[in-house]
C-alpha cells in the first residue's frame, strides 16, 4: 500500500481521480501538476494511512486520542518525498541558506470546517530565519513570518490557544505606545519570538521544537489526530460524514513573491470576468505577497494591455516577459482542460513561475452569458452545458439594475428581499406624494404596509419599502408584477406618523438613523438591504450579448411552457417581450382596485337588494370588458387564463374610521351601513375565509358578470381579426361540486352571450388547485375541468399551516443551526409535502383525463428549483411574473437537459 | 309474467322480498298481509308492467309522454283483483249501497318525492256518495270526501292545478262570510262539487269521469306516466336512480273509522315510547278518522289501563273487547316479527279491525335504552343489535336536560348549536354579573364573543349565548368541556353596550324582541334555538335503567379506547365517572388564563431579557405542577396526554386600549411596552401563525418549564403511592425536525429533573398530527414519536382551507339544493379529504413503527360517524369532551360490531 504521493515538477503520482485517497486538495494539486503546471512541489500522506495510524493508537474513540509514534518506516518515506521536493526547487529543508519551508494542511474527501487549520512556514527556527532574511533581503518579513509560524504551530499542533501568544504582541505594543502591527520593527519581533517560546515552555512544560524534521513529524501526527477531536466528530455526525474516511495531509513547499524585483504575485482570469470577452485578464504586484494584493495598499498592475487597466503602469508582459509567456501558455492549458473560465493565483519567486491555485472564475451575469455562448459556439462545451453555466442570479443582474460589486454602502436596515433589482430615490411616505414628486426625480415609497389604494404611488416609485408583511404581501406581489425593486417586512424600521422613519438595524446594535421625507436612500430588492444615500449601480443590460441566444437554446430544449402572471395590457406586453407564451394567471381583483371602480365594487358589497347588486355589477361590466380587450389584444394568438374574483370582499372596504367616513360621504350612504358591513365581513383568518369559489357560489352574479365581460371582450377582439384563447379559471376549489356548480354558471352565462351576439368562441373552464383537499380529490375535480393550475402559494400555506404574512418564525427555521427547513418553502417548493400533493393532484387528475393541461402559477413558477421539480412531475407549463420569464425559460431548458442526461 | 299481486284477508301473493317488483309500499303491504294481519285488501300492479306500458307508448323520452291504452288484458286482470277485494270486504266497487272506495298510490323501490301523489276515495260519484253518506250516517262527511276526491283526482290524474278548484271553495266562503272549513255544511258542499266538475270541463275540455272503473283505469295510467315527467327524471338524475326501475301502483280499499259507534281509529305502541316499559300502549277515538286523532279536538282514550292514561275515559278493551283482543294479539305478532317496538295505526270499521300501517316506533332516549336492553335480555335481539338501536340523540337526552317534546316555545333567535342540553335563566352580559347573580338563581351569560377572562362567569352560568364565533370558538370549546349548554355565532342577535340585546330572527321577518339584563330566556344547545322565558324541560337521567348495561356491552365490543379531553382535575373526574380510560388531550393553555397566572404569562411575553423570561416562568412553574398533580391524582392508573402550549402568545395579551392600560398599571410597565408587543405579535391569520411547536422552538424555556412541571408532578404523585402515565404531546408538527428538536429538549429537561430528584418515571413523547404536511411525512415524524394523536379540527381547517370561526358560507354549502357538502366537516370527519390524510398518516407512521399508538383528539373524537371511520382506519383510541364520553363509548362499540357483521 502506497502511503505517500508526490507532486510537482510537472508530474504527479496521483490525479483528480484519487480524491478519496488524497482528499480534495491533494487530488487537485496532483491533477494540476500532472497537467505540467509548475505548482509548488510537495507530497500527500493518504487518508488510509490516517486511519491506520489512528487505529494503532487505540483509545476509547472519545476525547482527544492518545499520542503515539508514526507507523514503521514512514519517517523514511517522508524524508525521501522531501528529498524530491528539495531537488525540484534546489533548496533544502532545514538549511540555513536558501532554506526550504513548507505548509502542512489537512484535506479530506469533503471540506470539513471543524478540522485542523493550516501551518505555514514550517521549517523556520532561529537559524533558518536568517536564511529567509538573506534570501528576501527583508529581515522584518523573515522575523514576522517566524513569529507567525510559532503562533500557528503552538496553536494548531501543540494546542496552546493563539491568544496566549498574541498577548505578548499586545504587551509589546503597549510598552512601545503603538497600535498598528506595521509599526513593529524587525528588532521588536526578535525580542517577541523568544518570549513566545518561553511561554510555550511555561504553559505546556515542553520546549518548542527547533528541528524542522521534528516540527514536520509532529505536525503530521497532529493533523491525523485532529480527525478524532470532539469538534470534528460532532461536525461529521451533523453532516453524515463517515468516521472511517480519515483525512489526508498535504506537505507543500512555500514559495514567495517578495524575494526581490524578480519576484511577484498576482491573480489572473482566462477571460474578462466583467463582460466575458475572450481576453487574458489579470493583475499583479512586484516583490509582494498575495495578501498585499488583497490589502489594496499598492495599486496592482495589469498583466497585459489586452483588457485595459492603468496604462501608466508597466505590465507583467513588459517587466517579466518570460514568466508572462509561461503564464499565458498555462492559462490556455487550464481553460481548455477545465472547459471553463479559470481564476488563477500565481507567484513568481526569483523568476520562477508557480501556480498556486486554479478554480472556476466568478463572473458577472453579462460575462456568464457571453462565456457560455462563446464556448458553445467554439465547440468547447455543448449547449446543454452552456445553459447550465448561467443561473438565476446572472439573469437578474441583466434584467434589473443592481448594486455594483464592492460599492461603498451604509446599510441602515435589512428586510425581506421581495422583488429583485436596486434603486435610489427620495423617500416619500404616501402614494400621493410619490406620484407628485416622481415628476421631479426618482422616489422610494415607504409605507408601514401597502394597500390597494397605493397602487398608483407604487407605479410612480422606483422602489418600495414596507415595515410589515411577507413575501406575498400586497406590496411584494404588486411590486414583482411591476418589476419594481421592493423590500418588505423590514422590522428594522419604524414608520412614524410625522413623515419620517427610524432605522435601527438589529445587526448593528445601538446604531440608528432618522430618515425624513426627501432624504435619499437606496434599496436592494435582491438582498433586502436599505442603504443610506446613493450607491454605485450596475445598470440592467437586456441587450446583453448572447442573452437571446442562450434563452433560445433553453426554449428549444424545454418541455415546460413559460407563461406570465399579468393583470394589465402593459404587464402582458412586457411578458410577451420577455418571451412568455401566454398568460397563466390574470388576477381580476387588481382591476377592481383602480380609480372609480373601487366605488362600484363597494356599491356591490353594500347592496341590500338584488337590484342594487345588479346595478353595481352593470357599472363594473364595461370596465372589466375593456380590461380584457386590452389584454387579449396584447396576447393575440396566445392563451390567456383569467382567474375569477378571489379575495374576500372585505379587502375592498375601507378599514379605519376616517376612511369609512370619507367613503360614506363619497358614496352618499350612512357611515353605519359601511361599518355594519365591515363588521359582518370581518374574518379571524381571512386567508381561509370567504373567498375564491366560495364567493362565486354565494355571489353567482359576480362570476356571471366577469364571464360576460371576458367573452364579450373575446368576441370584440375576434371581430377585429384577433385570435383569442380565453381560459376561465375558478379559484380555491376544494370540493368537486364547487367546480361543477360554477362551471354550470359560466357555461350558462356563455350561452346567453353567444345567443345575444349570434356568434361564439372556443374557451376553456378550469380551476386552481391550491388546497390539500383539491389535490386529494383531483380525480373528481378533473371531471369538471379543462385544465388545472396549481396555486402553490396557498397550497404551501395550507399544507404547512403557515400564514405567509405572519411566518416570521421561518427565519429561525431556516437557520442552519436549527435546521427545520432547508430554505423558505414559499421561494422553492417543498418537495416532500407540497410536492407530494402536486404529484398526487396531477396523477389523479390525469387518471380521468389523460390529456388534462396542468400548470403552476404560484410564486414557485419563477423559481428554478421548483421549475425543475414540476418538470419532473410532467406539468405542461409554469407561470411567473413578467420579469422572471427569462429566468423561468432558462430553468425550463435546464430542467429538460438535466432530465435527458440523468 | 305476473302483472298484478293481490294482498288482504290474511294472505298475499307477494312478500317483503319483492321490493324491486312491487315497490317498497307494495312489498310492505304484502308482508303484513302474509303475517295474517287484517290490512285493508288491495292489489299491486308491478314496476315491470310500468316499464312495459311506457315502452309501448313510444315518445322522445322528453316532456310528458303521450297517452295510450293499457296492455291487452290488463283491465280484465284489474277487474279480477278488484273482485277479490270486494269479496274480502263484502263491498262492491261502484255500488250505490255499501260502496267500495279505493286509494291509488305510486310506489317505487326507493321513495321519490318527485312522483305522483296519492288519490284517496276513488270510486266516488254522484251515486256512490249517497251510499257513503248512508253508511256513515254523516252526509257532510260524505260530500266533503267527494269534493276532496274531485280536487285530488283533477290535480293528480287530469293535471288541473288544485288551486283552480280550491278557488271555488274560497268563493263560497266569501259569499257566506265564513272563514273556516268546519262552517261549511253538507248542502254547501253539494253546490260546490258540480261547480268543480264544470270548471274541469271548461279548463280541460273533457268531462270529469263518473264511472269508477274509468277513474281507476285513468289513475293507473297516470301513475305509470308520472314516472317519466320532467320533475321525476330530474329527481332521478340528481339521486342516481335508474330510469328503468319504474314504479308500481298500489290500489287498496279505503276503510273508515267514522262509520258509527262500532267504528274507531287509533295509534298504538307495542311498548311505552316514553320510558320503554314493556306494556301495550295506545290511544283511540270512537267514530273518528285518523286526522281527528291528530287534530286534537277530542281527547283520545287509552286503549287499556296498563300504561296509565285518563282513568275517567273508557278504554278500547272496555268498549270493544273483541277488537282489542285482536289488536293485542296482532301487536305481539308484529313486535316479534319485526323484533322492535312498533308504532301501529289501526282503524275499526263497523267492528272489523284493520291495520293500516306498522313501523318502527319513535321513542325517547330512556325508552330506547330500556327497550334495547330488555329485548337483548329476552333473547329477541343480540347485544350487537341492541347497541345499534341506541343513538347519539338518545344518549344526549339522558346526559343533559332537554326541551320537552311538544313544549310551547317562542323562538326569538337561532344560532349554531355548540354544546348540547337546554337551560333557562336570567340574562347577564358580563362574567362578573354572572358570578354575582348565580348565587340567587340560574343565569344565562350573553356575550358578543367570550375570551379567557370570562371563564369564571361561564362556569357560573347554566348556559352561554354568543353573537359571534363558530363551533370551535372559545365559548364553544370551553362550554363543551364544562358540559354547559351553549349557542354561538347567533347573528340573529345584536348585543348592545347598554346591557341589552336585540333579537331579530332571520326566519321571522320583521319580528324583534329587546332582552334586558334580568329577563328570562331559554337556550337549546342541541338546536341553537333561543327562546323567550321558561320552557318545559325533560331532565337529564344519568341513572336511567339500562344505561350502564348497554355502555358495558359497547365497551366489551369496542376495539377503540375512549379517552377524554380534560384540562382540570374536575373535568378529569367527570370524564372518569363517564367511563373514560384516560385523558387524550389536556390543553395547558387553559391553565394559563386563570387568576394571577395570566399576569405571570404576560410577564413572560413582555420579558426583554432571558433573566426576565426565566423569572416569569419560575412563577408559573409551581402553579402548573400543582395543576398536573390534581389531574394525575384524578386519573390514577390511567394515561394522561398533556399538550404543551399551543396558542399564539398574543392570545394572552390584552386587546383594546382600556385593557392595555389597566394591565400596564397592574404590571407596573409602560403602556408603550405592552402596545409594542401587541403590535409585534399581531397576526393576519393567527390560526396559521406562530403557535404550537413553533413556539416551542423559538421559546424552548417555556416547553422546558412545562416538562419540568409535568415530571415533578408525576414524581410527587408517585411518591404518594399513585400510578402515573404521563404522555407529553408536541402540537402542530409539520416537519420531522421540529419534533426531533423538541423531543431533545423534553428528554434533556427530563434527565435534569430525574437527576435532581434521584428517581425517574416512565413517560412518552408524541405529537399531534394536525397539518397535511405532517400526514404526508408521517414516516419521518414517527421516527421521533412514541404516539400520534390526530388533531382533526386543525387538520380539517388546513385541508379545506377553512377558518372554522369564519366559515359562515358553510351554511350555503350544506344546503341540499347547493349540495357542496353533505354536512359540516367540523362535526363529522370529511372521509374523502381529511380521512385520506388520516389514513396516510397512520399508514406511514406505522410503516416505521408497527406498534405506534395512534388516537384522535379533535371534536370528531365524540362524533359517531367519525368514530366509525377511525375504527375502520385502525386507530387505538378517540378522545372527546367528558360529556360525550358515553356517546363515544357507544359509537366505538357499534363500530366494532358493524365491522364484525360487515
Amino acid at each position: 500500500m502506497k502511503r505517500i504521493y508526490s507532486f510537482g515538477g510537472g508530474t504527479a503520482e496521483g490525479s483528480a481521480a484519487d480524491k478519496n485517497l488524497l482528499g480534495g486538495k491533494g487530488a487537485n494539486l496532483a491533477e494540476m501538476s500532472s497537467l505540467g503546471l509548475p505548482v509548488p512541489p510537495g507530497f500527500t500522506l493518504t487518508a488510509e494511512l490516517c486511519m491506520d495510524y489512528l487505529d494503532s493508537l487505540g483509545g476509547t474513540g472519545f476525547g482527544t486520542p492518545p499520542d503515539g509514534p508514526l507507523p514503521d518506516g514512514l519517517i523514511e518515506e517522508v524524508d525521501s518525498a522531501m528529498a524530491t521536493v528539495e531537488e525540484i526547487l534546489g533548496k533544502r529543508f532545514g538549511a540555513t541558506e536558501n532554506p526550504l519551508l513548507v505548509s502542512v494542511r489537512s484535506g479530506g474527501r469533503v471540506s470539513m470546517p471543524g478540522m485542523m487549520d493550516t501551518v505555514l512556514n514550517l521549517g523556520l527556527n532561529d537559524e533558518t530565519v536568517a536564511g529567509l532574511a538573506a534570501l528576501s533581503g527583508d529581515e522584518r518579513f523573515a522575523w514576522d513570518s517566524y513569529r507567525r509560524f510559532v503562533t500557528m504551530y503552538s496553536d494548531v499542533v501543540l494546542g496552546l490557544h493563539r491568544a496566549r501568544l498574541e498577548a505578548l504582541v499586545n504587551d509589546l505594543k503597549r510598552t512601545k505606545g503603538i497600535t498598528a502591527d506595521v509599526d513593529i520593527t524587525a528588532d521588536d519581533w526578535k525580542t517577541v519570538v523568544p518570549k513566545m517560546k518561553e511561554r510555550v515552555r511555561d504553559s505546556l512544560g515542553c520546549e518548542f521544537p527547533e528541528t524542522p524534521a521534528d516540527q514536520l513529524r509532529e505536525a503530521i501526527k497532529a493533523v491525523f489526530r485532529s480527525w478524532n477531536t470532539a469538534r470534528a466528530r460532532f461536525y461529521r455526525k451533523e453532516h453524515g460524514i463517515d468516521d472511517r474516511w480519515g483525512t489526508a495531509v498535504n506537505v507543500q513547499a512555500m514559495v514567495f513573491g517578495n524575494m526581490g524585483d524578480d519576484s511577484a504575485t498576482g491573480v489572473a482570469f482566462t477571460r474578462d470576468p466583467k463582460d466575458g470577452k475572450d481576453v487574458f485578464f489579470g493583475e499583479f504586484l512586484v516583490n509582494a505577497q498575495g495578501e498585499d494584493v488583497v490589502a489594496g495598499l499598492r495599486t496592482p498592475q495589469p498583466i497585459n494591455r489586452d483588457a485595459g487597466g492603468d496604462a501608466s503602469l508597466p505590465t507583467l508582459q513588459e517587466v517579466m516577459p518570460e514568466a508572462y509567456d509561461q503564464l499565458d501558455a498555462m492559462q490556455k492549458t487550464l481553460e481548455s482542460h477545465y472547459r471553463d473560465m479559470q481564476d488563477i493565483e500565481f507567484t513568481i519567486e526569483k523568476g520562477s513561475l508557480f501556480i498556486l491555485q486554479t478554480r472556476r472564475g466568478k463572473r458577472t451575469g453579462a460575462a456568464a452569458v457571453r462565456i457560455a455562448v462563446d464556448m458553445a459556439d467554439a465547440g468547447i462545451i455543448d449547449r446543454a452545458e452552456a445553459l447550465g453555466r448561467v443561473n438565476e442570479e446572472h439573469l437578474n443582474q441583466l434584467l434589473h439594475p443592481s448594486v455594483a460589486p464592492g460599492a461603498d454602502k451604509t446599510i441602515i436596515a435589512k428586510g425581506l428581499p421581495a422583488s429583485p433589482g436596486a434603486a435610489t430615490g427620495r423617500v416619500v411616505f404616501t402614494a400621493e406624494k410619490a406620484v407628485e414628486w416622481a415628476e421631479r426625480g426618482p422616489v422610494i415609497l415607504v409605507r408601514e404596509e401597502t394597500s390597494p389604494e397605493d397602487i398608483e404611488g407604487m407605479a410612480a416609485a422606483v422602489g418600495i419599502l414596507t415595515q410589515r408583511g411577507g413575501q406575498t404581501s400586497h406590496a411584494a406581489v404588486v411590486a414583482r408584477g411591476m418589476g419594481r425593486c421592493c423590500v418588505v417586512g423590514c422590522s428594522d424600521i419604524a414608520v412614524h406618523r410625522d413623515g419620517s422613519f427610524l432605522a435601527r438595524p438589529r445587526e448593528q446594535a445601538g446604531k440608528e438613523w432618522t430618515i425624513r421625507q426627501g432624504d435619499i436612500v437606496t434599496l436592494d430588492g435582491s438582498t433586502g438591504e436599505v442603504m443610506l444615500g446613493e450607491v454605485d449601480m450596475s445598470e440592467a443590460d437586456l441587450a446583453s450579448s448572447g442573452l437571446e441566444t442562450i434563452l433560445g437554446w433553453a426554449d428549444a430544449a424545454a418541455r415546460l411552457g413559460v407563461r406570465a402572471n399579468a393583470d394589465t395590457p402593459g404587464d402582458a406586453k412586457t411578458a410577451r417581450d420577455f418571451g412568455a407564451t401566454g398568460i397563466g394567471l390574470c388576477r381580476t381583483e387588481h382591476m377592481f382596485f383602480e380609480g372609480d371602480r373601487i366605488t362600484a365594487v363597494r356599491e356591490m358589497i353594500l347592496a341590500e337588494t338584488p337590484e342594487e347588486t345588479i346595478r353595481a355589477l352593470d357599472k363594473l361590466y364595461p370596465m372589466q370588458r375593456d380590461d380584457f380587450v386590452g389584454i387579449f389584444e396584447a396576447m393575440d394568438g396566445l392563451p390567456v387564463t383569467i382567474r375569477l374574483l378571489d379575495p374576500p370582499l372585505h379587502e375592498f372596504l375601507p378599514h379605519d374610521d376616517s376612511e369609512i367616513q370619507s367613503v360614506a360621504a363619497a358614496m352618499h350612504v350612512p357611515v353605519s351601513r359601511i361599518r355594519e358591513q365591515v363588521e359582518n365581513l370581518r374574518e379571524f383568518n381571512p386567508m381561509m375565509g370567504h373567498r375564491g369559489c366560495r364567493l362565486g357560489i354565494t355571489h353567482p352574479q359576480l362570476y356571471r358578470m366577469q364571464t360576460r365581460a371576458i367573452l364579450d371582450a373575446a368576441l370584440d377582439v375576434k371581430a377585429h381579426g384577433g385570435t383569442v384563447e380565453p381560459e376561465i379559471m375558478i379559484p380555491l376549489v376544494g370540493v368537486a361540486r364547487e367546480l361543477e356548480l360554477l362551471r354550470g354558471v359560466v357555461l350558462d352565462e356563455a350561452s346567453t352571450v353567444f345567443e345575444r351576439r349570434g356568434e361564439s368562441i372556443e374557451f376553456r373552464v378550469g380551476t386552481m388547485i391550491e388546497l390539500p383537499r383539491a389535490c386529494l380529490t383531483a380525480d373528481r375535480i378533473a371531471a369538471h375541468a379543462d385544465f388545472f393550475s396549481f396555486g402553490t402559494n396557498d397550497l404551501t400555506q395550507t399544507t404547512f399551516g403557515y400564514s405567509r404574512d405572519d411566518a416570521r418564525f421561518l427565519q429561525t427555521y431556516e437557520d442552519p443551526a436549527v435546521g427545520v427547513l432547508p430554505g423558505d418553502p414559499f421561494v422553492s417548493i417543498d418537495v416532500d409535502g407540497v410536492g407530494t400533493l402536486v404529484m398526487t393532484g396531477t396523477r389523479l387528475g390525469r387518471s380521468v383525463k389523460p390529456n388534462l393541461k396542468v400548470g403552476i402559477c404560484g410564486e414557485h413558477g419563477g423559481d428554478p428549483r421548483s421549475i425543475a421539480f414540476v418538470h419532473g412531475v410532467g406539468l405542461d407549463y409554469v407561470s411567473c411574473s413578467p420579469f422572471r420569464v427569462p429566468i423561468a425559460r432558462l430553468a425550463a431548458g435546464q430542467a429538460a437537459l438535466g432530465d435527458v442526461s440523468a
Side-chain angles (χ1 to χ4, degrees), chain A:
Chain A
M1 191 188 74
K2 187 168 172 57
R3 300 194 285 193
I4 296 183
Y5 286 71
S6 287
F7 58 85
T11 62
E13 295 178 334
S15 77
D18 297 315
K19 197 170 155 193
N20 291 354
L21 193 64
L22 306 181
K25 205 176 290 162
N28 262 341
L29 288 166
E31 181 77 5
M32 281 198 289
S33 199
S34 294
L35 282 177
L37 299 177
V39 297
F43 51 89
T44 305
L45 293 86
T46 70
E48 269 178 26
L49 174 61
C50 170
M51 290 317 297
D52 283 350
Y53 172 62
L54 291 176
D55 289 347
S56 77
L57 298 181
T60 59
F62 288 99
T64 308
D67 201 349
L70 287 171
D72 285 348
L74 190 70
I75 298 295
E76 291 72 20
E77 291 178 34
V78 167
D79 287 347
S80 151
M82 188 63 91
T84 309
V85 174
E86 290 172 335
E87 196 176 319
I88 293 170
L89 293 176
K91 301 188 179 192
R92 284 188 58 84
F93 188 54
T96 46
E97 270 178 44
N98 199 10
L100 172 61
L101 303 181
V102 297
S103 62
V104 178
R105 292 178 169 97
S106 67
R109 67 174 87 169
V110 294
S111 169
M112 254 180 70
M115 296 287 292
M116 191 189 106
D117 283 329
T118 299
V119 180
L120 298 177
N121 293 325
L122 187 139
L124 281 178
N125 57 22
D126 290 347
E127 287 162 6
T128 56
V129 70
L132 184 63
L135 211 58
S136 63
D138 185 345
E139 195 169 31
R140 188 185 175 283
F141 158 70
W143 279 91
D144 186 16
S145 299
Y146 190 17
R147 70 98 192 178
R148 285 174 196 268
F149 163 64
V150 172
T151 308
M152 282 169 110
Y153 187 95
S154 301
D155 182 79
V156 167
V157 179
L158 303 180
L160 181 68
H161 198 285
R162 60 174 61 228
R164 296 291 311 283
L165 300 187
E166 280 164 359
L168 296 170
V169 181
N170 294 332
D171 289 349
L172 173 76
K173 286 183 189 167
R174 237 191 329 274
T175 313
K176 294 194 61 178
I178 58 178
T179 54
D181 276 11
V182 289
D183 295 328
I184 301 176
T185 64
D187 287 343
D188 291 333
W189 287 133
K190 284 185 189 172
T191 67
V192 167
V193 169
K195 285 186 189 156
M196 285 180 163
K197 292 186 176 172
E198 205 174 321
R199 179 155 290 183
V200 167
R201 183 172 52 242
D202 293 349
S203 303
L204 304 176
C206 67
E207 293 290 334
F208 188 91
E210 287 288 319
T211 317
D214 290 349
Q215 292 172 355
L216 179 60
R217 187 188 64 244
E218 291 307 311
I220 289 170
K221 283 164 59 185
V223 173
F224 281 157
R225 276 158 47 224
S226 73
W227 179 254
N228 270 347
T229 58
R231 192 165 65 139
R233 282 176 174 280
F234 180 78
Y235 183 89
R236 287 201 296 273
K237 192 153 191 293
E238 287 288 293
H239 293 80
I241 297 170
D242 195 322
D243 278 337
R244 299 295 307 169
W245 283 355
T247 180
V249 180
N250 298 295
V251 178
Q252 189 179 20
M254 301 285 301
V255 294
F256 297 93
N258 57 343
M259 292 293 180
D261 286 344
D262 54 354
S263 298
T265 192
V267 173
F269 293 83
T270 58
R271 300 186 186 217
D272 192 325
K274 295 185 301 300
D275 58 16
K277 250 186 238 146
D278 187 8
V279 292
F280 184 38
F281 167 87
E283 294 176 332
F284 77 106
L285 282 173
V286 172
N287 196 13
Q289 284 186 287
E291 60 204 62
D292 298 327
V293 181
V294 177
L297 295 174
R298 290 161 58 190
T299 304
Q301 303 159 236
I303 55 168
N304 56 31
R305 298 274 171 232
D306 300 349
D310 189 335
S312 69
L313 297 171
T315 65
L316 184 65
Q317 196 168 16
E318 288 158 4
V319 298
M320 300 183 192
E322 200 175 329
Y324 175 81
D325 289 345
Q326 261 187 293
L327 183 63
D328 189 29
M330 280 167 200
Q331 65 98 359
K332 292 195 172 84
T333 305
L334 280 168
E335 189 178 276
S336 69
H337 180 71
Y338 289 106
R339 297 163 48 257
D340 199 358
M341 187 264 271
Q342 295 293 300
D343 167 354
I344 300 163
E345 286 178 30
F346 64 91
T347 284
I348 299 166
E349 183 182 300
K350 294 189 172 295
S352 297
L353 174 71
F354 294 99
I355 303 295
L356 303 184
Q357 182 165 277
T358 183
R359 57 185 167 191
R360 215 185 141 273
K362 287 221 167 66
R363 63 203 79 182
T364 64
V369 169
R370 177 153 181 185
I371 292 171
V373 171
D374 284 354
M375 284 194 165
D377 282 346
I380 299 168
I381 56 176
D382 62 19
R383 289 181 177 181
E385 195 160 357
L387 275 175
R389 297 272 177 89
V390 180
N391 65 31
E392 178 182 0
E393 189 41 47
H394 293 141
L395 292 196
N396 262 335
Q397 276 183 31
L398 297 179
L399 295 169
H400 305 279
S402 51
V403 170
D408 271 344
K409 54 190 181 184
T410 307
I411 298 168
I412 60 171
K414 207 164 169 196
L416 301 173
S419 180
T424 299
R426 294 192 181 276
V427 166
V428 291
F429 291 93
T430 65
E432 294 71 38
K433 273 270 178 284
V435 172
E436 184 191 326
W437 284 33
E439 293 179 12
R440 286 177 281 152
V443 298
I444 302 281
L445 177 62
V446 181
R447 302 279 294 157
E448 203 171 332
E449 55 200 330
T450 64
S451 72
E453 290 88 359
D454 295 325
I455 295 258
E456 284 179 62
M458 295 171 76
V462 293
I464 296 137
L465 169 63
T466 72
Q467 181 182 340
R468 303 192 140 269
Q471 307 224 41
T472 42
S473 62
H474 179 263
V477 170
V478 172
R480 278 194 293 272
M482 290 176 172
R484 283 296 172 288
C485 143
C486 179
V487 174
V488 299
C490 184
S491 52
D492 285 359
I493 68 165
V495 175
H496 298 312
R497 304 231 158 208
D498 65 0
S500 71
F501 74 81
L502 179 73
R504 196 192 271 166
R506 272 163 306 178
E507 288 171 11
Q508 303 169 55
K511 296 215 184 173
E512 59 177 56
W513 290 264
T514 298
I515 305 294
R516 297 202 167 68
Q517 177 170 288
D519 289 353
I520 291 177
V521 299
T522 298
L523 298 185
D524 187 337
S526 307
T527 62
E529 288 170 351
V530 183
M531 291 153 280
L532 203 63
E534 276 191 66
V535 175
D536 278 354
M537 295 277 185
S538 305
E539 285 312 302
D541 183 14
L542 289 173
S544 175
S545 171
L547 181 59
E548 268 315 306
T549 308
I550 203 135
L551 290 178
W553 293 348
D555 292 345
R559 200 174 63 205
L560 282 168
V562 176
R563 297 194 189 183
N565 303 341
D567 309 334
T568 65
D571 288 350
K573 190 178 173 314
T574 305
R576 190 165 197 158
D577 290 346
F578 278 135
T581 57
I583 289 180
L585 176 62
C586 171
R587 285 157 295 213
T588 51
E589 59 268 28
H590 291 171
M591 304 174 180
F592 277 33
F593 284 117
E594 277 178 40
D596 43 340
R597 300 173 178 206
I598 186 79
T599 306
V601 173
R602 286 169 176 164
E603 282 172 12
M604 175 193 77
I605 298 171
L606 296 171
E608 288 182 332
T609 65
E611 293 70 33
E612 284 180 11
T613 307
I614 299 281
R615 210 176 311 135
L617 288 171
D618 283 349
K619 282 190 202 168
L620 282 170
Y621 158 77
M623 304 190 245
Q624 280 258 292
R625 185 196 53 208
D626 295 349
D627 289 330
F628 296 133
V629 165
I631 290 171
F632 288 146
E633 282 173 350
M635 298 307 283
D636 186 32
L638 297 177
V640 176
T641 308
I642 296 165
R643 179 175 73 183
L644 301 188
L645 198 72
D646 183 55
L649 295 180
H650 54 74
E651 282 199 9
F652 300 98
L653 291 181
H655 306 299
D656 61 37
D657 271 3
S658 71
E659 279 181 299
I660 289 175
Q661 272 158 15
S662 69
V663 167
M667 291 180 66
H668 308 295
V669 297
V671 167
S672 63
R673 184 159 155 199
I674 298 182
R675 195 166 282 149
E676 195 181 327
Q677 192 65 312
V678 167
E679 191 57 22
N680 282 341
L681 295 179
R682 184 164 68 94
E683 294 184 314
F684 295 98
N685 298 289
M687 193 265 135
M688 312 167 87
H690 192 162
R691 48 171 287 237
C693 67
R694 302 162 195 175
L695 272 180
I697 286 173
T698 56
H699 297 68
Q701 291 302 338
L702 176 60
Y703 275 23
R704 282 188 182 272
M705 180 280 284
Q706 294 198 298
T707 301
R708 198 159 68 241
I710 291 166
L711 295 177
D712 269 327
L715 289 171
D716 288 350
V717 173
K718 185 183 165 197
H720 288 88
T723 305
V724 190
E725 284 188 48
E727 304 185 326
I728 296 178
M729 183 155 73
I730 313 290
L732 211 69
V733 164
V735 183
R737 175 75 176 155
E738 292 171 322
L739 186 59
E740 183 184 15
L741 284 168
L742 292 174
R743 186 187 177 89
V745 165
V746 169
L747 295 184
D748 184 63
E749 190 66 27
S751 53
T752 307
V753 171
F754 296 160
E755 201 165 314
R756 165 165 50 79
R757 304 199 40 152
E759 61 174 333
S760 68
I761 193 165
E762 294 251 330
F763 67 100
R764 294 196 181 92
V765 182
T767 181
M768 267 180 99
I769 301 287
E770 45 191 334
L771 295 170
R773 197 177 190 284
C775 298
L776 297 167
T777 60
D779 45 351
R780 301 187 203 179
I781 292 172
H784 310 289
D786 300 326
F787 63 87
F788 278 0
S789 181
F790 284 96
T792 49
N793 289 354
D794 279 3
L795 190 58
T796 300
Q797 296 199 80
T798 47
T799 303
F800 277 95
Y802 293 162
S803 162
R804 183 160 178 181
D805 287 330
D806 301 317
R808 291 184 289 271
F809 58 85
L810 283 185
Q811 290 179 7
T812 307
Y813 273 28
E814 290 166 43
D815 178 345
V818 177
V820 173
L821 293 172
D824 186 337
F826 292 103
V827 172
S828 272
I829 196 164
D830 159 53
V831 170
D832 292 338
V834 178
T836 299
L837 287 173
V838 169
M839 284 192 284
T840 301
T842 306
R843 178 175 52 76
L844 288 177
R846 288 192 175 146
S847 72
V848 298
K849 284 198 180 160
N851 296 319
L852 187 74
K853 197 167 58 160
V854 183
I856 176 175
C857 65
E859 296 282 313
H860 294 127
D863 168 63
R865 293 203 315 170
S866 310
I867 291 170
F869 173 76
V870 302
H871 167 87
V873 175
L875 262 51
D876 297 299
Y877 68 88
V878 299
S879 186
C880 58
S881 41
F883 288 86
R884 287 196 79 83
V885 166
I887 292 166
R889 288 166 65 193
L890 176 73
Q894 288 173 337
L897 291 166
D899 208 35
V900 168
S901 66

